[in-house]
Amino acid sequence: MELMEKPRIAYFCMEYGLHSDFKLYAGGLGILAGDYLKAAKDNNLPVIGIGLLWKQDYTQQYLDNRGFPYDTFPEFNYNFLKDANIKVTVNIGGRDVVCKVWKVDRFGNADLYLLDTDIEENRDWVINDQLYGGFSEKRIPQELVLGIGGIRAIRALGLDIDIYHFNEGHAVFAGIELIREKMHNEHMSFEDAWETTRNQIVFTTHTPVRAGNEEHSLGMLWDKGTYNWLSYDQLRAIGGDPFNMTIAGLRLSRIANGVAQLHCETANRMWNFVDNRAPIICVTNGVHRDTWLDKRMEETYKNNGNLWETHLELKKELIDFVKDRTGVVFNLHNLLIGFARRSTEYKRTNLILKYEDKISPLLKEGKLQLLFSGKAHPDDTEGKTLISHLVSMSKKYPGSIVFLENYDMEIAKKMVTGCDVWLNSPRKPNEASGTSGMKAAMNGVLNLSTLDGWWPEACVHGLNGWQFGDSFHSEYSWEQDRHDIESLYRVLLGEVIPTYYNDREKWVNMMKASIDTVYEKFSATRMILDYYKKMYLEAYRLLPVRVRQH
Ligand SMILES: *Cc1c(COP(=O)(O)O)cnc(C)c1O
């Protein structure tokens, strides 16, 4: 597709997953941001990313000898960061915090600028240590550095930007800074500054769970200096009191989006009560092919080669990888189901193990093999308990159930290329998108998933994967769980397993259909072009010419 105009975009995100060992990511949000930046480069689009240089990972999470997860926070140093030779300051709590700016252009040439506060000038104040560690006291300074520092870095670098894209609410203080600039430099009224700024911002919301949408008390924002020249009433008009970062994003932007069709409906329902906000449209996520689709599988697919043979090669590599990490050797010729997610209640990690007796003969025989991975947030004891349950099941069924500790992009890549089936069991409608399913589908790994996130848009049951749960929804989670479990076993035992062992031809046809479905439609290229067509250009056309940068 040719774009007539290409407004320049600054993309703000708290995390970026560009490479497994570049530890600036916790999960889906960051991987999405990394894939987005790479796709921008692939398509020659004028996009830069703004982020924070985290000293530590989200968590390096391992299992103790009882099989319970514990967290470690080693510090990382990267020798490939390029000094952008600028510093900007952000006033936080009455103190000028100096932010050094680094440039990264190493991964798919994606242009990313990172603000670093771990420098001599701030030596007694640690701000960007642990990604998503701590509460408001810690988070607000980080978000001030990202938002206000980010805008100041763009100015100091002399970059021309037309549209600012906030990927999730963490960056909304950038909008406050854009308003301040207009009030301060151009003597606009607050109302005019806000109205003009709106046309420069688009916003992506991700979290369909109300509690997952961050709020800060306006008192604490005042203490931290977040008002940034605005008054209490002005700040409250934007984000409410308490100041909700998502509501602020919706009121600061011209257009907002959800990340899958179903999520978009959910988001519209959820934020229906918010007045004076941007419409929420849908741009379904996509994944970066060169990152997630194995080259050999892509070649085989393009040349109409033997998908099964290539799949076995990749499955063998995964089995070797698991053996190296755990000593367990899976059987290459038996069904291998993968599940890797953040360990949290609604994702129902252990759903498949709920009625154990239904599958225990298969597990004992090794006809059903389950490979799990995923981290829990360091403060999420419930999520960690879920993991410890998986670990105890892996001891009960040695050789058939494995949990891989310290989930990262490397494990993800191995799993989404080497499993036979990709299981996904969120309690609908809590999953915004679930991009790992797209990665798996692209490699001919068949999805077995509830109709949540992206899957309703792609699933043709029995043709390119399977759904379970039939979109059933109950406000009682016990009822929904019971329904979904029964449905899962019905599909698993009645369709997935018989097809795998008795109808290889159908399986391979499904693999092909799976790749056909996602190859273009759920690629990051399709996604970023959608962002241009449906959002950036829409906002850009409303910008007065004098505000446009080119
Ligand atoms: C793709 C990916 C995710 C996001 O996938 P979900 O389906 O949302 O769980 C999270 N973590 C890693 C390491 C990934 O590669």
Side-chain angles (χ1 to χ4, degrees):
M1 190 204 71
E2 268 305 301
L3 294 164
M4 299 299 286
E5 291 170 297
K6 294 181 181 173
R8 295 161 204 230
I9 313 302
Y11 185 85
F12 284 68
C13 191
M14 194 78 150
E15 49 169 310
Y16 287 90
L18 285 161
H19 184 275
S20 192
D21 297 331
F22 193 20
K23 301 292 185 189
L24 308 182
Y25 62 95
L29 183 73
I31 312 292
L32 176 75
D35 281 6
Y36 166 95
L37 286 186
K38 290 175 188 167
K41 268 293 157 194
D42 293 349
N43 293 284
N44 232 335
L45 296 166
V47 173
I48 59 156
I50 301 284
L52 299 176
L53 182 66
W54 298 98
K55 269 170 83 84
Q56 304 166 349
D57 197 356
Y58 165 59
T59 162
Q60 300 259 307
Q61 194 170 75
Y62 299 98
L63 300 170
D64 66 18
N65 48 24
R66 298 166 305 150
F68 202 83
Y70 69 92
D71 301 288
T72 63
F73 301 98
E75 292 188 358
F76 292 91
N77 280 302
Y78 305 101
N79 58 15
F80 51 79
L81 304 175
K82 292 182 185 165
D83 194 337
N85 284 314
I86 59 151
K87 286 180 178 172
V88 296
T89 57
V90 180
N91 194 284
I92 303 176
R95 212 180 120 167
D96 278 336
V97 171
V98 182
C99 315
K100 181 171 171 49
V101 181
W102 300 96
K103 179 162 189 204
V104 183
D105 53 12
R106 180 187 174 89
F107 306 104
N109 296 318
D111 285 321
L112 175 62
Y113 293 91
L114 295 171
L115 289 103
D116 178 9
T117 53
D118 182 31
I119 54 175
E120 183 62 21
E121 289 89 329
N122 320 311
R123 88 182 83 65
D124 55 345
W125 194 4
V126 181
I127 296 174
N128 302 341
D129 44 354
Q130 185 191 325
L131 175 58
Y132 302 130
F135 300 97
S136 289
E137 193 61 51
K138 194 88 196 197
R139 192 68 61 83
I140 295 167
Q142 294 168 347
E143 290 171 341
L144 287 170
V145 172
L146 176 66
I148 296 179
I151 296 292
R152 292 184 183 166
I154 288 169
R155 301 291 177 258
L157 289 160
L159 299 171
D160 289 338
I161 298 299
D162 300 301
I163 304 289
Y164 302 82
H165 182 165
F166 301 164
N167 190 38
E168 208 26 299
H170 311 111
V172 298
F173 300 140
I176 308 294
E177 173 66 0
L178 289 172
I179 292 175
R180 185 201 63 83
E181 282 184 333
K182 294 179 187 67
M183 291 166 71
H184 187 236
N185 303 340
E186 300 173 43
H187 309 289
M188 279 194 196
S189 69
F190 167 71
E191 285 73 21
D192 288 351
W194 183 4
E195 215 35 51
T196 312
T197 296
R198 264 187 221 255
N199 290 338
Q200 297 177 288
I201 296 175
V202 305
F203 173 59
T204 304
T205 178
H206 292 262
T207 315
V209 184
R210 185 73 207 267
N213 288 271
E214 218 174 272
E215 287 186 347
H216 301 299
S217 89
L218 274 176
M220 196 177 291
L221 291 187
W222 174 256
D223 280 349
K224 297 271 180 282
T226 316
Y227 283 28
N228 199 29
W229 285 52
L230 269 53
S231 70
Y232 169 83
D233 288 332
Q234 291 166 345
L235 209 62
R236 194 189 53 183
I238 292 171
D241 183 5
F243 189 88
N244 182 295
M245 302 293 274
T246 306
I247 292 175
L250 292 170
R251 289 199 180 126
L252 283 166
S253 57
R254 179 53 57 201
I255 310 180
N257 75 295
V259 293
Q261 236 126 45
L262 177 66
H263 171 238
C264 182
E265 288 166 29
T266 310
N268 270 298
R269 241 194 340 270
M270 193 169 146
W271 303 113
N272 194 28
F273 72 95
V274 179
D275 59 5
N276 196 18
R277 71 160 169 88
I280 304 174
I281 65 159
C282 173
V283 175
T284 300
N285 283 342
V287 296
H288 186 247
R289 244 181 351 236
D290 285 350
T291 302
W292 298 108
L293 170 55
D294 182 88
K295 284 279 166 303
R296 289 160 290 175
M297 188 50 93
E298 183 167 24
E299 281 307 302
T300 308
Y301 170 72
K302 282 187 166 164
N303 301 323
N304 257 322
N306 187 330
L307 291 175
W308 187 251
E309 228 165 63
T310 307
H311 173 64
L312 281 186
E313 192 180 325
L314 294 167
K315 186 172 174 184
K316 175 81 173 53
E317 286 175 15
L318 171 62
I319 289 173
D320 290 343
F321 179 81
V322 172
K323 181 179 168 216
D324 284 349
R325 294 266 172 125
T326 65
V328 175
V329 186
F330 281 131
N331 184 328
L332 180 65
H333 301 288
N334 287 350
L335 179 65
L336 177 57
I337 297 184
F339 182 107
R341 318 252 148 199
R342 180 160 57 90
S343 181
T344 187
E345 206 273 328
Y346 81 81
K347 296 193 189 235
R348 300 188 297 187
T349 307
N350 52 12
L351 194 77
I352 192 171
L353 299 167
K354 271 277 158 63
Y355 299 163
E356 197 183 324
D357 40 328
K358 292 228 187 203
I359 53 168
S360 76
L362 288 163
L363 289 169
K364 281 188 189 134
E365 258 185 285
K367 288 283 180 199
L368 175 60
Q369 309 176 102
L370 301 175
L371 176 58
F372 292 96
S373 191
K375 293 173 180 173
H377 185 279
D379 299 329
D380 182 3
T381 309
E382 196 183 3
K384 288 182 177 176
T385 306
L386 281 173
I387 291 176
S388 77
H389 176 247
L390 291 178
V391 176
S392 66
M393 292 299 277
S394 73
K395 289 180 180 144
K396 187 162 175 193
Y397 298 99
S400 292
I401 300 182
V402 168
F403 178 82
L404 290 174
E405 59 190 354
N406 204 32
Y407 184 48
D408 61 7
M409 286 173 75
E410 185 188 9
I411 293 179
K413 176 80 185 264
K414 282 278 187 272
M415 287 182 71
V416 298
T417 51
C419 290
D420 297 307
V421 166
W422 196 246
L423 176 64
N424 181 35
S425 43
R427 190 181 299 117
K428 187 183 171 228
N430 287 308
E431 190 61 83
S433 159
T435 50
S436 64
M438 302 173 189
K439 303 169 192 166
M442 211 172 249
N443 286 283
V445 171
L446 301 179
N447 275 267
L448 168 60
S449 169
T450 51
L451 285 169
D452 200 6
W454 73 289
W455 192 227
E457 285 164 65
C459 175
V460 187
H461 182 85
L463 248 157
N464 62 4
W466 298 271
Q467 63 87 21
F468 65 94
D470 308 312
S471 229
F472 175 81
H473 175 67
S474 165
E475 59 187 294
Y476 303 107
S477 56
W478 61 266
E479 187 177 38
Q480 188 165 351
D481 290 356
R482 197 177 60 191
H483 176 276
D484 289 352
I485 295 164
E486 278 165 10
S487 174
L488 170 58
Y489 289 130
R490 223 171 19 247
V491 176
L492 177 66
L493 303 175
E495 301 186 55
V496 180
I497 290 180
T499 310
Y500 182 83
Y501 286 106
N502 308 328
D503 196 346
R504 179 66 31 84
E505 193 186 329
K506 179 175 175 196
W507 191 278
V508 174
N509 286 338
M510 288 183 72
M511 289 175 66
K512 172 149 190 327
S514 166
I515 305 174
D516 284 343
T517 305
V518 294
Y519 190 82
E520 298 288 350
K521 192 170 168 208
F522 295 93
S523 69
T525 286
R526 191 276 307 146
M527 169 177 72
I528 198 166
L529 292 176
D530 270 358
Y531 273 117
Y532 264 89
K533 285 181 283 186
K534 296 183 179 177
M535 299 183 69
Y536 302 155
L537 284 167
E538 289 301 312
Y540 185 65
R541 284 179 191 134
L542 295 169
L543 277 182
V545 172
R546 100 192 137 68
V547 182
R548 294 188 188 183
Q549 301 282 337
H550 71 282

